[in-house]
Amino acid sequence: MEEMQRVLLSYREGQVARQSPLGPLFHTFYAPAERSAIVRVFEQRGLPKALEDFWLRTSGARLYEDVTYGQWGLVLYSPEEAGARSQDAKEERPEDYRIGDLIVGEFLGDLDVLLIAAEMSSFNFGAVYVASPLDPRAEWPKVGDNLGDFLEEFAQVNGEKFWEGN
């Protein structure tokens, strides 16, 4: 939990994340999730430690958000919304989404989502991917070994989409 606390502190120290051509980008955090809410939503599946640590510190967040136009930023979902969005994705695209996949966020201004592989027996349990509705699963970039790694890298590049390879 200490690693996630350190990562989130780096975001919280600067409420105005940076200036962009769209205007200032902001970070917003919500109250911590109740452990009982996390258990209620995810009791039947594995939950990566970094994701649980995140939710025990904040039930969701909006990072590098363009509050003027709504065209940039990352929205990280609450446990309830992540559960619902994950179920919807599996029903809409069963060929790409697996049983243990958790959609934990979305990128504003496009249709990409942040996905965590949460199949306990999988070699990539806890790994973070950016899933695009236009690309098959094999083309989804891995953006971190766990949520903490991803959030740390995302902060280091000041909210830029480092996986797109400029």
Side-chain angles (χ1 to χ4, degrees):
M1 187 152 352
E2 295 304 317
E3 177 186 352
M4 186 58 68
Q5 180 177 351
R6 179 185 53 74
V7 170
L8 292 179
L9 184 61
S10 70
Y11 284 97
R12 287 184 167 142
E13 287 177 341
Q15 184 181 2
V16 177
R18 67 178 167 95
Q19 291 292 326
S20 79
L22 302 172
L25 303 179
F26 292 90
H27 301 316
T28 305
F29 294 91
Y30 302 105
E34 297 287 332
R35 187 177 296 277
S36 60
I38 297 169
V39 169
R40 184 175 54 254
V41 175
F42 297 101
E43 66 185 338
Q44 300 300 320
R45 60 178 96 170
L47 188 63
K49 182 176 178 353
L51 178 58
E52 182 178 13
D53 290 349
F54 172 81
W55 280 330
L56 290 172
R57 299 219 171 266
T58 179
S59 61
R62 301 176 81 85
L63 304 176
Y64 298 100
E65 182 180 15
D66 157 28
V67 296
T68 306
Y69 301 104
Q71 292 298 305
W72 193 263
L74 170 62
V75 176
L76 294 167
Y77 301 142
S78 68
E80 295 84 359
E81 190 163 7
R85 297 280 182 122
S86 300
Q87 187 59 41
D88 290 347
K90 289 171 205 155
E91 291 171 5
E92 292 169 12
R93 289 181 60 192
E95 68 281 3
D96 285 321
Y97 290 96
R98 299 186 180 140
I99 295 288
D101 288 345
L102 296 175
I103 295 179
V104 298
E106 68 182 276
F107 293 91
L108 299 173
D110 62 34
L111 300 173
D112 293 348
V113 297
L114 195 66
L115 177 141
I116 296 180
E119 183 70 39
M120 294 274 301
S121 61
S122 177
F123 72 95
N124 63 344
F125 179 74
V128 182
Y129 297 85
V130 173
S132 169
L134 304 176
D135 299 325
R137 184 183 187 96
E139 294 178 18
W140 296 347
K142 180 179 174 185
V143 294
D145 289 331
N146 61 57
L147 184 59
D149 288 348
F150 167 75
L151 291 174
E152 192 164 28
E153 177 80 11
F154 200 53
Q156 288 174 358
V157 297
N158 219 2
E160 294 294 328
K161 295 179 177 180
F162 61 89
W163 54 93
E164 290 183 346
N166 301 334

